């Protein structure tokens, strides 16, 4: 269905990072990795064994079987595709991205219908044919609907910018019971944010910083659209629920430990995370911070959490004794998931890429030249770590082994490629980015 293999980004970042002469991001390897990440992401989306709109977590069908559509992974992927869609590029490429977005929205609309008939919108996984994952699993997962709404809201924002507001009613209508795709998710979030659910790692049942950050962001951004769609009652309601969620997010600050903890009020699931350190705090900050900076990357508590976690991984992963590269980062120190079953936890590409994104976003807010340089150097060290462990031809699995650095777990994890692209964008100057499609 695509008339191109991948979008080539001509990104002129040299000027951004070499203004001082000492930090260079302009070497081809970072750009090469961007291209291959985009290419692998596209091949996961465009396959002849699945319909358009399905976002497989990975092409791996056994050990582990990730050949499913996770609402979270798909939503995070579409958050990035919709952001790319907002960048300047040729019409043809823009249309291709838009087709992908629309197909995904169609698929999710179908998934919502099936979930509403049989379960709840917190249903976390669908088969590639659009059925509810038929086995016992950690459900519900209440980050999914919020993330899905956020990605769609990126797209509706673009429609508004493109003077296509007449199309918005395809995605949001005031009617109740909600029968438009965005409003359904917002209503679910507004009514169920305080229900215990499984965390993003699908292990712990409780109330999670990650899910709550997604939920409040979706409601705040959703309220703006509601207002525009003459649904001011809903807008007020979403805003007031968002304010309540925010109060509960502060409760995740643990003064004694000196950082933000991922889960409160646990009712079920594993209880092995004794340190209560988790990269999900950083992911939430990067993915779901709102314009007002609420728990954004600059927040003192987010920074403290990121530092403590980094130090923990420096100690426990053997490959981190090579300090010419940035530390390899995993999900949390006590992790035992080896990518296929229980064993030893490992570093993940998406977690390591989050640190690259984090330091670039911090550098973007700094003024003193020497701080900027130091922070960008730190970001680059994570890019170097990622590239060092990438398999030939730019392939990245979910994890890389903590002892020998080799790829492990689901191969070509969609979310991992998305994370590299995000990190790269954070490190490049937006105004100097333009995306070009090369058809070949
Ligand atoms: C599969 C989940 O997706 C993963 O996150 C979790 O760690 C393992 N199951 C636990 O067995
Ligand atoms: C396991 C991860 O823990 C979870 O976050 C993810 O959604 C699935 N794998 C699919 O990638």
């Amino acid at each position: 269905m695509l008339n191109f293999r991948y979008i080539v980004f001509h990104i002129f970042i040299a000027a951004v990072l070499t203004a001082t002469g000492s930090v260079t991001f302009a070497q081809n390897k970072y750009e090469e990795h961007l291209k291959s990440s985009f290419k692998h992401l596209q091949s996961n989306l465009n396959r002849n064994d699945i319909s358009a709109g399905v976002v497989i977590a990975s092409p791996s069908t056994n050990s582990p079987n990730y050949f499913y559509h996770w609402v979270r992974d798909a939503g995070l992927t579409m958050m990035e595709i919709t952001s790319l869609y907002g960048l300047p590029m040729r019409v043809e490429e823009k249309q291709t991205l838009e087709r992908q977005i629309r197909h995904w929205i169609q698929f999710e609309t179908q998934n919502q219908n099936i979930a509403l008939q049989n379960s709840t919108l917190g249903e976390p996984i669908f088969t590639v044919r659009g059925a509810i994952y038929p086995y016992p699993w950690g459900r519900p997962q209440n980050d999914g609907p919020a993330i899905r709404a956020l990605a769609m809201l990126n797209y509706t924002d673009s429609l508004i910018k493109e003077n296509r507001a007449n199309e918005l009613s395809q995605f949001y209508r005031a009617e109740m019971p909600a029968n438009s795709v965005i409003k359904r998710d917002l209503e679910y979030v507004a009514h169920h944010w305080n229900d215990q659910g499984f965390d993003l790692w699908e292990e712990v049942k409780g109330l999670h910083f990650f899910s709550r950050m997604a939920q409040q962001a979706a409601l705040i951004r959703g309220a703006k659209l509601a207002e525009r769609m003459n649904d001011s009652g809903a807008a007020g309601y979403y805003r007031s629920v968002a304010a309540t969620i925010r109060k509960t997010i502060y409760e995740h600050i643990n003064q004694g430990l000196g950082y933000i903890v991922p889960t409160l009020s646990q009712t079920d699931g594993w209880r092995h995370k004794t340190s209560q350190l988790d990269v999900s705090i950083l992911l939430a900050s990067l993915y779901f911070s709102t314009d007002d900076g609420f728990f954004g990357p600059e927040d003192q508590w987010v920074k403290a959490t990121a530092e403590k976690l980094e130090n923990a991984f420096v100690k426990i992963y053997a490959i981190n004794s090579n300090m010419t590269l940035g530390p390899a980062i995993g999900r949390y120190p006590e992790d035992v998931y080896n990518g296929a079953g229980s064993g030893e936890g490992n570093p993940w590409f998406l977690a390591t890429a989050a640190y690259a994104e984090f330091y670039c976003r911090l550098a973007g807010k700094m003024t003193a030249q020497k701080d900027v340089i130091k922070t960008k150097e730190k970001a680059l060290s994570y890019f170097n770590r990622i590239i060092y462990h990438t398999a030939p031809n730019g392939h990245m699995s979910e994890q890389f082994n903590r002892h020998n650095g080799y790829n492990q777990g689901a191969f070509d994890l969609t979310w991992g490629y998305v994370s590299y692209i995000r990190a790269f964008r954070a490190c490049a100057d937006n105004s100097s980015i333009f995306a070009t499609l090369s058809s070949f």
Side-chain angles (χ1 to χ4, degrees), residues 56-58 64-66 68-74 76 124-125 137 141 143 199-203 331 335 337 348 350 398-399 410 413-415:
I56 49 169
S58 144
N65 187 351
Y66 273 30
Y68 289 98
H69 178 99
W70 264 265
V71 175
R72 169 182 37 264
D73 298 48
L76 295 172
I125 316 177
W137 202 250
Q141 292 179 22
D143 56 335
D199 71 324
L200 79 166
W201 310 133
E202 315 184 293
E203 296 171 337
R331 300 193 295 183
D335 198 358
Y337 180 53
W348 286 39
L350 73 87
E398 180 184 73
Q399 319 185 359
L413 189 82
T414 307
W415 183 2

Side-chain angles (χ1 to χ4, degrees), residues 31-49:
E31 241 180 272
E32 281 309 310
H33 198 61
L34 175 70
K35 288 182 199 166
S36 63
S37 293
F38 193 74
K39 188 184 84 178
H40 293 308
L41 165 61
Q42 285 296 331
S43 24
N44 283 1
L45 300 178
N46 301 295
R47 301 169 52 102
N48 34 32
D49 55 353

Side-chain angles (χ1 to χ4, degrees), residues 135-147:
Y135 308 106
W137 202 250
R139 8 167 106 83
Q141 292 179 22
N142 288 333
D143 56 335
I147 296 171

